[in-house]
Amino acid sequence: MKLRLPQVLAITAAAAVMATSQAVPASAAGPLKSITNRVVGSAVAAQNLNEADFKSVLTREFGNITPENEMKWASVEPNRGQYNWGGADAIVNFAQQNRMTVRGHTLVWHSQYPNYLNNLSAADLRSATQQHINTEMGRYKGKIRAWDVVNEMFNEDGSRRQSIFQQKLGDGYVADAFRWARAADPSAKLYINDYNTEGINAKSTGLYNMVKALKQQGVPIDGIGIQTHLATKYAFPSSFRQNMERFAALGLDIAITEADVRVPLPADAAKLNTQASYYKQIWDACHAVSRCVEFTTWGYTDRHSWIPGTFPGEGAACLFDTNLRPKPAYQRINP
Ligand code: XIL
């Protein structure tokens, strides 16, 4: 096969990048996972585990993987009783081979669930949910460090989102889900996860009041996940640390589960510098609270990030660029 010059150059450049990212550590201090006693993780899509350079930086820097979509209900059971474990198995096997832990994501969520749930009676939805939790957690029993049991159940005003679970099963679905989850895998830490709950606001206060009541009732909930999808066009949530402290005072762990910081495109040096200060503040807030046990980003490279597809005009939200070179945000956290 004859290659045109631009193709040759592109291949040479790609090879150079791969060699660089494998040979040169991003920081003289060592990889991110080595400079902290917190779990340091990244979300990963199973299909990207085919890229050698992507895998190499992932295993070098991070100690935990969260499957980006592969453990969601619509992925694992698209039709009733028809299971598809390919992607989830690939991620769990990869983690075990590379001595990484896994954050399970997610069991009860108003999004990315199979259509047939909409047609179930309340009693059937309840048993389908119990069965789903049992089956999925059972399959990976002992292999998942922490699970996002319930995801995104609050509205911005702190009231409960009217999901099918809320509408058909009522308030009790949350306690039920956590009890079923504890029974299915007693070794997993059980979390409730949400976004826009970084600072003290109506939504995080709704969450606070609910988890406080659940703890008092003896519901087995171990922690709260704060997604931390931030944007530089909004001010940094200045009460982030204080908010974590009030949850810690309830006896809960806190995990930063999906951090990214999007900037208006095209990115430039000034924007990436602002982004760096946001990342550093997230990192520092977590390290200032002893019960903040995890710092996980929603993807680690701008090569594979959900942001440009979901927030048109914004992007460049990750710690590494598309060529897997560390960005200013990485350098700020790990100089
Ligand atoms: C996102 C994935 O990154 C996308 O690939 C998918 O199309 C939609 O879901 N909060 C969550 C995650 O809890 O599951 C979402 O992941 C991002 C927002």
Side-chain angles (χ1 to χ4, degrees):
M1 181 171 78
K2 196 164 183 304
L3 294 176
R4 287 180 295 113
L5 185 60
Q7 286 173 320
V8 174
L9 290 178
I11 291 165
T12 313
V17 165
M18 284 171 68
T20 309
S21 61
Q22 278 166 32
V24 183
S27 161
L32 218 42
K33 66 183 178 188
S34 75
I35 62 160
T36 173
N37 57 5
R38 271 51 172 182
V39 172
V40 180
S42 175
V44 166
Q47 78 237 26
N48 300 333
L49 295 175
N50 298 323
E51 293 170 20
D53 59 342
F54 176 87
K55 266 194 303 201
S56 150
V57 175
L58 176 68
T59 53
R60 184 188 73 200
E61 297 289 334
F62 299 92
N64 178 86
I65 330 186
T66 306
E68 187 171 354
N69 290 297
E70 290 78 354
M71 287 187 172
K72 293 171 181 174
W73 199 334
S75 300
V76 298
E77 196 189 1
N79 299 297
R80 191 149 197 197
Q82 183 217 313
Y83 293 97
N84 165 23
W85 302 109
D89 282 0
I91 288 186
V92 172
N93 291 338
F94 178 86
Q96 295 213 308
Q97 281 156 15
N98 291 284
R99 288 191 217 87
M100 302 168 95
T101 59
V102 179
R103 183 173 191 92
H105 177 83
T106 178
L107 296 163
V108 180
W109 188 26
H110 69 276
S111 181
Q112 292 181 278
Y113 67 79
N115 250 328
Y116 63 82
L117 296 190
N118 291 321
N119 306 323
L120 300 182
S121 68
D124 282 348
L125 179 63
R126 189 164 190 274
S127 63
T129 304
Q130 179 173 20
Q131 202 185 357
H132 167 61
I133 290 174
N134 267 328
T135 307
E136 181 157 10
M137 288 187 74
R139 182 174 182 88
Y140 302 112
K141 190 172 176 175
K143 298 180 177 176
I144 307 287
R145 181 182 49 80
W147 267 103
D148 293 326
V149 178
V150 175
N151 197 32
E152 301 185 345
M153 63 159 286
F154 285 99
N155 295 316
E156 296 305 296
D157 67 1
S159 63
R160 285 163 171 251
R161 186 192 292 272
Q162 293 300 308
S163 66
I164 54 161
F165 304 102
Q166 180 66 39
Q167 285 183 333
K168 292 195 183 177
L169 310 181
D171 287 0
Y173 84 89
V174 179
D176 285 342
F178 277 91
R179 291 194 174 108
W180 295 329
R182 181 68 95 220
D185 183 356
S187 69
K189 297 287 184 200
L190 306 181
Y191 281 73
I192 183 161
N193 192 45
D194 219 320
Y195 62 97
N196 287 351
T197 50
E198 293 74 31
I200 296 182
N201 56 36
K203 190 176 192 176
S204 66
T205 299
L207 169 67
Y208 176 85
N209 290 334
M210 187 189 74
V211 292
K212 186 175 178 191
L214 291 178
K215 287 281 282 181
Q216 280 163 356
Q217 293 155 30
V219 175
I221 172 164
D222 300 307
I224 60 144
I226 304 183
Q227 292 185 6
T228 321
H229 295 292
L230 301 186
T232 58
K233 67 179 179 185
Y234 306 122
F236 186 85
S238 57
S239 51
F240 203 167
R241 172 184 173 171
Q242 214 191 329
N243 189 37
M244 285 196 256
E245 274 164 356
R246 68 175 172 159
F247 285 100
L250 295 179
L252 292 163
D253 286 338
I254 297 114
I256 311 288
T257 52
E258 308 184 12
D260 48 25
V261 180
R262 54 192 193 270
V263 303
L265 294 174
D268 60 25
K271 292 174 187 175
L272 295 182
N273 194 42
T274 305
Q275 174 183 65
S277 85
Y278 279 51
Y279 266 109
K280 172 73 168 147
Q281 289 177 83
I282 301 168
W283 180 266
D284 285 350
C286 182
H287 286 84
V289 179
S290 59
R291 294 210 67 157
C292 181
V293 296
E294 175 175 350
F295 174 93
T296 283
T297 55
W298 204 243
Y300 77 86
T301 161
D302 294 337
R303 184 190 292 177
H304 303 297
S305 166
W306 74 305
I307 292 294
T310 307
F311 301 91
E314 294 176 281
C318 300
L319 291 173
F320 289 79
D321 70 14
T322 56
N323 290 320
L324 308 186
R325 285 179 303 232
K327 290 163 64 184
Y330 178 96
Q331 308 286 6
R332 192 75 65 89
I333 293 174
N334 189 13

